[in-house]
Amino acid sequence: MDGNGRWAKQRGLPRVAGHRQGVEIIKSMVQTCGQCGIPYLTLFAFSRENWRRPSAEVTLLLELLASTLENELPGLHEHGIRLRMIGDLSRFPQRLQRAIADADELTRNNKALNLTLAINYGGKWDLLEACKSIVALVEQGRIASASITPELIESQLCTHELPEPDFFIRTGGEQRISNFLLWQLAYTELYFTPVYWPDFNQDCFDQALQTFANRQRRFGKTSGQIKQLE
């Protein structure tokens, strides 16, 4: 969800104004995914690299995240949305950690939409933690190194309860994945748009979905093989 700060700068506003408008777009996208029958939505809300930003902006971001969770949680639960967070949550202020715990407890049995927020998350960190877990299993004698498989690695990732993503959207004009879901995006369709996140409206989302619908996903097979299955 890139471009909040630049959106605000264009309008002569403080960067936090862009982040606040970005929250409104999140609410809109969650509603749209529910209406379209999209069962999983994962949002990269705060990366491990974002700690490098000015401390005042980081503080405001974390306060905005905590207040948004507190304010929106009842409505999310009412609409049957399962909310989970992935990433290293231990570094966050106590208020935010409580809001995260409350969200997980309240919505864990909901089925309408699986909404995941990646916060203090990084793909390299995720893989590193998975490797540490697997090494520990080998050292404890619970598994043999020869039995390490892609499926075992996947079981140790933050996203082990989620399917691999079908579609990746990045707003803001940059054409990179910026350390997001490095393992999980292996066969994901990528889509990049110059539109800043606060301007990413329903029409923009529809255009992205149409692009996805027009792609042929082969997963290593030939076009001819795919057509035979259609």
Side-chain angles (χ1 to χ4, degrees):
M1 301 181 290
D2 200 14
N4 291 345
R6 284 170 287 166
W7 180 90
K9 184 178 180 180
Q10 282 185 350
R11 290 158 175 77
L13 301 171
R15 289 175 60 86
V16 69
H19 296 309
R20 290 196 178 101
Q21 179 60 25
V23 169
E24 296 304 311
I25 301 302
I26 291 175
K27 291 158 65 174
S28 174
M29 288 299 105
V30 169
Q31 182 178 7
T32 298
C33 287
Q35 293 171 345
C36 292
I38 295 173
Y40 294 91
L41 175 64
T42 301
L43 302 172
F44 203 4
F46 190 87
S47 74
R48 293 176 67 81
E49 291 76 22
N50 284 156
W51 293 105
R52 302 170 185 170
R53 294 188 175 190
S55 59
E57 180 177 350
V58 170
T59 299
L60 287 170
L61 273 171
L62 298 184
E63 290 177 353
L64 178 61
L65 181 56
S67 63
T68 300
L69 285 175
E70 292 166 353
N71 294 334
E72 300 300 328
L73 182 58
L76 293 174
H77 180 55
E78 181 181 347
H79 288 88
I81 295 173
R82 167 70 164 105
L83 179 61
R84 59 164 61 83
M85 284 73 171
I86 58 173
D88 181 3
L89 309 179
S90 63
R91 187 173 176 179
F92 290 129
Q94 285 300 311
R95 178 190 175 191
L96 180 52
Q97 291 196 39
R98 285 195 301 271
I100 291 170
D102 290 344
D104 181 73
E105 178 65 25
L106 182 63
T107 69
R108 65 173 60 232
N109 295 318
N110 292 346
K111 306 293 185 181
L113 170 69
N114 288 272
L115 174 61
T116 302
L117 298 183
I119 50 178
N120 197 24
Y121 176 87
K124 290 182 178 180
W125 169 85
D126 198 3
L127 285 167
L128 176 61
E129 293 302 305
C131 289
K132 289 179 180 178
S133 297
I134 293 171
V135 168
L137 292 174
V138 173
E139 291 178 340
Q140 295 163 11
R142 297 172 61 184
I143 62 170
S145 59
S147 65
I148 298 174
T149 62
E151 291 75 20
L152 177 61
I153 295 173
E154 289 168 3
S155 73
Q156 302 302 312
L157 296 173
C158 285
T159 55
H160 64 276
E161 295 181 323
L162 304 172
E164 292 183 351
D166 292 307
F167 196 36
F168 168 96
I169 299 173
R170 179 168 185 156
T171 61
E174 306 292 353
Q175 298 191 28
R176 58 177 182 269
I177 59 176
S178 294
N179 199 19
F180 184 49
L181 301 178
L182 296 181
W183 176 282
Q184 299 88 335
L185 292 178
Y187 270 99
T188 299
E189 296 294 322
L190 307 182
Y191 179 86
F192 302 97
T193 172
V195 176
Y196 294 149
W197 177 249
D199 286 329
F200 193 77
N201 57 25
Q202 181 67 56
D203 289 340
C204 296
F205 192 45
D206 288 343
Q207 182 178 351
L209 294 179
Q210 186 59 51
T211 298
F212 175 77
N214 290 334
R215 296 185 186 180
Q216 185 184 67
R217 308 188 72 198
R218 297 191 294 274
F219 298 98
K221 298 179 180 179
T222 67
S223 297
Q225 288 176 299
I226 299 300
K227 290 180 179 177
Q228 289 177 357
L229 297 173
E230 293 177 349

